[in-house]
Amino acid sequence: MSAKTIERLDGIGPLAERYQVFLLDQFGVLHDGQAPYPGAVEALSALKRAGKTVVLISNSGKRARPNEVRLLKLGFAAGSWDHFVSSGEVAWRSFNDMAASGKLRSGTKCLLISRDNDRTAIEGLPFVLAEAGEDAELVLISASEGDRYDLDHYRELLAPAAARQVPCFCTNPDRIMLTAVGPRFGAGEIADLYESLGGSVIRVGKPYPAIFDAALALAGEPERGSVVCVGDSIEHDIAGGNGVGVATALVLGGILADTPDLAAVFDEQQAWPDYVTGSFSLR
């Protein structure tokens, strides 16, 4: 794929006129983890009023329901999206299927890397929590606490598991996360660390096809030309949308807010959006 003409938009109004199905990222597009971005609540509701199919598609290691509850608490209107697909949900369903078929042994010791001791990523699965890398039979990286710890903390925790080639799953491939104290390393960076320590990682989420396949299935397998993927990450949202053959729109309110040379980032990632807009709003 090569560079293409990118249309600059003032908000998402033109997209609503051109597309029927919206695959929307949440962090960096709808909210910053603390509050909605200006105009985002109204823009999301407006898409539903216009009869659009809205699927929220997120590299969150949490399952779909906790993510939806948070959106409601942040002030987004109930019913302003049709489906929520998180990488954590896709992974949970995969593990659940493996357990049902006998491929995942009951009592498997799982070293869970999450935030705030959150265990929802494995609730209902036949895992036993491992306390340390020495005991783990499986590693699940669902979130980062890069705003509290440095990478050495994770290196110490993970090195024994990586040395024993314990399989690792990362359900949030984002390398950067937005926090109250600014951008910090995300779960994807911890997955990279695990590989550097000699382990191997299966990543679940954008830009990999499985999460897009799940979202498009929930949307009723629409014609690709009627779909637009909206996100703030070139590496995950734009590359992922490019990969499944749908239009893409880059929102500059998130991790790329202060990037001086977007073209260089597009070229580096070998991914180019169809549209660029300053915000997910109607203005």
Side-chain angles (χ1 to χ4, degrees):
M1 187 174 180
S2 60
K4 57 189 174 184
T5 303
I6 298 168
E7 187 176 343
R8 301 220 164 230
L9 303 178
D10 227 0
I12 63 156
L15 299 179
E17 295 168 11
R18 300 174 197 179
Y19 300 97
Q20 177 57 32
V21 177
F22 284 73
L23 306 181
L24 301 180
D25 184 36
Q26 55 161 345
F27 277 93
V29 173
L30 299 178
H31 63 84
D32 63 3
Q34 314 293 318
Y37 289 116
V41 171
E42 173 54 27
L44 192 62
S45 294
L47 288 178
K48 281 309 302 164
R49 283 199 304 274
K52 307 299 179 182
T53 300
V54 177
V55 184
L56 302 183
I57 175 171
S58 172
N59 275 1
S60 166
K62 290 178 182 284
R63 294 190 63 190
R65 190 62 195 147
N67 275 289
E68 294 185 288
V69 167
R70 176 171 54 193
L71 285 173
L72 295 173
K73 285 181 177 174
L74 286 174
F76 289 91
S80 58
W81 61 91
D82 295 287
H83 306 284
F84 194 110
V85 182
S86 69
S87 45
E89 184 72 27
V90 171
W92 189 95
R93 291 179 182 276
S94 176
F95 287 134
N96 196 45
D97 289 345
M98 287 164 63
S101 69
K103 290 179 183 174
L104 181 65
R105 180 180 56 78
S106 181
T108 296
K109 293 177 183 174
C110 173
L111 178 62
L112 177 64
I113 308 293
S114 66
R115 279 186 76 78
D116 304 318
N117 205 28
D118 177 52
R119 297 178 181 182
T120 56
I122 61 168
E123 273 178 6
L125 296 172
F127 289 133
V128 173
L129 277 176
E131 294 300 319
E134 287 86 352
D135 308 322
E137 298 172 292
L138 182 148
V139 176
L140 178 57
I141 304 172
S142 70
S144 164
E145 291 187 304
D147 48 345
R148 298 171 195 169
Y149 302 110
D150 60 18
L151 274 173
D152 283 338
H153 165 82
Y154 291 105
R155 182 176 286 107
E156 192 174 324
L157 187 60
L158 293 170
R164 291 187 296 112
Q165 297 288 305
V166 172
C168 175
F169 296 81
C170 175
T171 55
N172 185 340
D174 291 357
R175 289 186 172 88
I176 300 171
M177 65 171 180
L178 301 173
T179 77
V181 292
R184 292 294 184 269
F185 65 85
E189 192 75 26
I190 301 172
D192 291 349
L193 170 67
Y194 194 79
E195 287 180 325
S196 77
L197 293 168
S200 61
V201 179
I202 295 173
R203 291 170 175 79
V204 183
K206 299 175 288 185
Y208 306 102
I211 194 168
F212 287 96
D213 291 344
L216 291 165
L218 285 170
E221 299 295 356
E223 288 290 327
R224 293 294 202 266
S226 70
V227 182
V228 62
C229 174
V230 183
D232 72 321
S233 167
I234 298 164
E235 179 182 1
H236 300 106
D237 304 301
I238 306 307
N242 288 173
V244 296
V246 302
T248 56
L250 179 69
V251 176
L252 297 178
I255 57 174
L256 297 175
D258 301 316
T259 304
D261 187 358
L262 283 173
V265 186
F266 298 151
D267 291 341
E268 179 191 342
Q269 296 291 340
Q270 289 291 290
W272 294 268
D274 296 283
Y275 309 96
V276 170
T277 179
S279 65
F280 185 83
S281 63
L282 295 172
R283 61 168 180 77

